Structures are given as C-alpha cells and as structure tokens.
Amino acid sequence: MKNYAIAIHGGAGTLVKGMMTPDLEAKYKSALKEALDSGYKVLEKGESAIDAVEEAVRLLEDSHLFNAGKGSVFTAQGTHEMDAAIMDGKTLNAGAVSLITGIKNPVSLARDVMEKSEHVFLAGEGAMQFADKLNYKLEDAAYFYDEFRHQQWLEIKDTDNFQLDHSVKKDSKFGTVGAVACDKNGNVAAATSTGGMTNKKWGRVGDSPMIGAGNYANNKTCAVSCTGSGEFFIRAVVAYDVAMLMEHKGMSLQEASEEVINKRIIEINGDGGLIAVDAQGNMAMPFNTEGMYRACKSSRGKEEISIYK
Ligand code: ASP
C-alpha cells in the first residue's frame, strides 16, 4: 500500500493578523479540520482521490466562512456567480463550470460535467441548463447571503472597483477553496471552487475553473489547487507550470511549488498560494501573502492546520 495524503485550502486572503480574534481563528480551524478529516476518511477507506477532493471541497463550500458555495462574494449586480473545477490525475479527465448561480455545491456540478457530459467546461446559462437537466435543486439568494460579505460589497458597489480578497488590507474574510489528494493507489486529483471577487462584472472569470491555471492533476507529476489574484494565475498558467517544472526540470514537488509561488508569480506582481500533492503522497503549501487558510494530513502521520506563516 502506498502513502496517501490530502491537503486543503480556504484561500490566501486571510484576515490581517491583528484583526483575527481567537474565537474567529478557532472557527476557521475547526471548519478546515472538519473538511480535512472527512476527505482523509475517504482515502483511509481506500476510495479514490477524486472522491476525497470532492468531499473536502463540498464541506468548505457549505461553510459561510469561505468564498465558495454558501459564502460566495457579491457581484456588481448583487448576485453570486460561482466557478469550480475538478481533475482526475489518473485519466486526465476534467470538468469545470463558470458563472453559475444558485448551485449549493459547484464542485459536484463540475464533476458531473466531467462524468456526464462530452465536455470539459460549461459556463453561464448553458451550465445552468445542464444542471437543470440533472435535476439540481437551486438555492435562493438567502442561502448565499452573508452579512459580512454584503457589507464588503456595499462599500464598493457604486464604484468601478472590484475587490480581490488578497488586495484588501483591512478586515476581509474570503477564500477560494480547494483540495488535492493522493490515494492508496497513487492516483492524484485536484478540485477548486470560488465565488471570485467582490463587485466583479462583465462575466469576469478567474483562474479557479481553468484547467492548468488554478487547478490541475496528473499522476505523472502532481495535483495542484491555487488561490490568489486570478488574472496573474491565468497568465502564469500556475498549476500546469508546477507540473512542468517537475516533469521537465526534475524538480521535487516542494521546489517546483516554491519556484512558481515565490519567484515566477511574484515577477509578474501576482500574489497568492497553492496546495499540491504528488503521487508519492508528498505535499507542499507555499504562499506569498500574509497567510493562507490551509491544512494537510497524510498516512505518514503528518498533520497541520494553519493560517499564518
Ligand atoms: N483565484 C480566485 C479568483 O481570482 C480568487 C481567490 O483565490 O480568492 O477568482
């Protein structure tokens, strides 16, 4: 039996350290732990990495603390538009959705695109028709409402500003969510889900649902889920770049992840972080922001739940 491991993130846009209360910190850590443990249990039972990442991301989507599913940020129209992707490193199958509304667990719709359609990426109205065909139940706006995020939006709603979690230096609670896992058979998988950025408009889509940018998995190298300033992560094709540095330059998972987050993305002024796992169950969780909600657990006995450096 091989080593198995899972890592999750709740976004690289954490509360500035001075503003985090012990109570809030405990809440974040307990939400992370719940998602981590439940994803880990899937691996422990011998089930697949793809099942484990979907399970962990669903739980993070169900928490209002993170900017995905329930806690998604507000768009310029006062709505919620969510993006998600999932990828199986064994088959290189992938599914993604973008600009969807009312769906409780976007990651599961992305998985359905992967498994129940001929396509990889469905967006907007068409993605919603696909969900309807599969009898997805839609949640109303009240389900996604969060007082804190509403305030965040009210502050900038009549301006041309949009707010990426990571650019805010005052109180901000956000965080795209993601999970990567390696199962007992050495198969890896990645999943990422987000509400994007506050006050976004024009059908803005970030890196999270884009295969190769915010999310990627390949048994040959690794599985990666990103969080950060999406525009930069798209241009740097971050998740795929980590895999390519391993494949073509022979870097370890840690070296490749650090190279991308602490060098390449910084060179183009991008900020954020990523979580990654390889087919041996090694994990890396680098970030170049003040903090990143993150957690990991492996069959070798490693366990970590952290927010700051
Ligand atoms: N990467 C996400 C986006 O640009 C945001 C985030 O990670 O918080 O949509």
Side-chain angles (χ1 to χ4, degrees):
M1 187 190 71
K2 297 198 175 152
N3 291 314
Y4 51 97
I6 181 166
I8 62 171
H9 72 76
T14 56
L15 286 172
V16 173
K17 216 168 180 175
M19 310 214 45
M20 178 65 88
T21 64
D23 181 47
L24 203 51
E25 185 161 344
K27 281 191 182 134
Y28 275 109
K29 288 190 170 167
S30 115
L32 287 169
K33 184 167 169 40
E34 197 193 333
L36 184 74
D37 287 348
S38 122
Y40 188 79
K41 267 194 206 125
V42 172
L43 298 174
E44 221 170 19
K45 281 191 277 178
E47 290 168 15
S48 67
I50 197 90
D51 286 339
V53 294
E54 182 187 7
E55 167 72 13
V57 167
R58 282 179 67 96
L59 285 172
L60 294 168
E61 286 175 338
D62 290 345
S63 164
H64 72 103
L65 291 171
F66 305 105
N67 174 18
K70 188 171 190 161
S72 290
V73 296
F74 286 83
T75 67
Q77 280 77 40
T79 58
H80 305 279
E81 286 176 352
M82 298 168 288
D83 305 331
I86 191 162
M87 185 159 184
D88 184 343
K90 181 184 174 190
T91 56
L92 298 191
N93 284 338
V97 289
S98 177
L99 304 172
I100 58 166
T101 52
I103 303 285
K104 183 168 180 273
N105 294 110
V107 70
S108 296
L109 186 58
R111 184 165 181 180
D112 279 335
V113 171
M114 173 170 88
E115 292 176 349
K116 298 179 183 160
S117 87
E118 299 295 304
H119 308 294
V120 170
F121 201 159
L122 301 180
E125 238 176 77
M128 295 306 295
Q129 285 162 9
F130 176 71
D132 186 48
K133 194 181 138 218
L134 297 182
N135 295 318
Y136 269 76
K137 172 178 164 278
L138 295 190
E139 302 295 334
D140 58 19
Y143 174 80
F144 296 95
Y145 182 86
D146 180 73
E147 177 61 31
F148 185 95
R149 293 208 190 286
H150 194 239
Q151 278 306 324
Q152 268 186 332
W153 174 61
L154 288 181
E155 282 173 27
I156 57 169
K157 104 187 221 309
D158 295 320
T159 70
D160 276 338
N161 296 343
F162 49 81
Q163 192 165 285
L164 196 61
D165 296 352
H166 319 270
S167 56
V168 190
K169 285 294 170 221
K170 47 183 204 160
D171 56 342
S172 45
K173 74 172 178 119
F174 22 58
T176 290
V177 306
V180 293
C182 169
D183 63 29
K184 288 183 179 173
N185 296 315
N187 294 316
V188 300
T192 308
S193 180
T194 189
M197 60 211 307
T198 298
N199 213 34
K200 64 180 180 178
K201 54 186 173 189
W202 302 319
R204 181 265 181 190
V205 178
D207 60 312
S208 309
M210 290 186 196
I211 302 304
N215 199 77
Y216 186 71
N218 187 336
N219 278 3
K220 252 210 277 192
T221 49
C222 59
V224 180
S225 169
C226 301
T227 168
S229 43
E231 279 67 10
F232 298 90
F233 278 62
I234 293 170
R235 289 161 52 205
V237 204
V238 166
Y240 190 66
D241 201 23
V242 173
M244 286 306 102
L245 286 171
M246 292 175 71
E247 186 169 340
H248 297 296
K249 286 209 162 177
M251 288 188 181
S252 68
L253 181 81
Q254 190 71 39
E255 287 164 352
S257 306
E258 296 279 354
E259 165 79 17
V260 174
I261 291 300
N262 289 318
K263 193 156 170 260
R264 296 186 172 202
I265 195 83
I266 289 180
E267 281 166 5
I268 58 166
N269 297 318
D271 57 349
L274 62 80
I275 51 170
V277 65
D278 66 17
Q280 285 71 50
N282 297 307
M283 294 180 288
M285 304 194 288
F287 55 97
N288 62 33
T289 45
E290 188 169 344
M292 177 169 83
Y293 299 108
R294 63 196 187 281
C296 66
K297 190 167 178 170
S298 80
S299 57
R300 290 188 187 122
K302 180 178 169 62
E303 183 165 356
E304 178 185 336
I305 300 177
S306 332
I307 300 177
Y308 301 102
K309 290 223 155 98

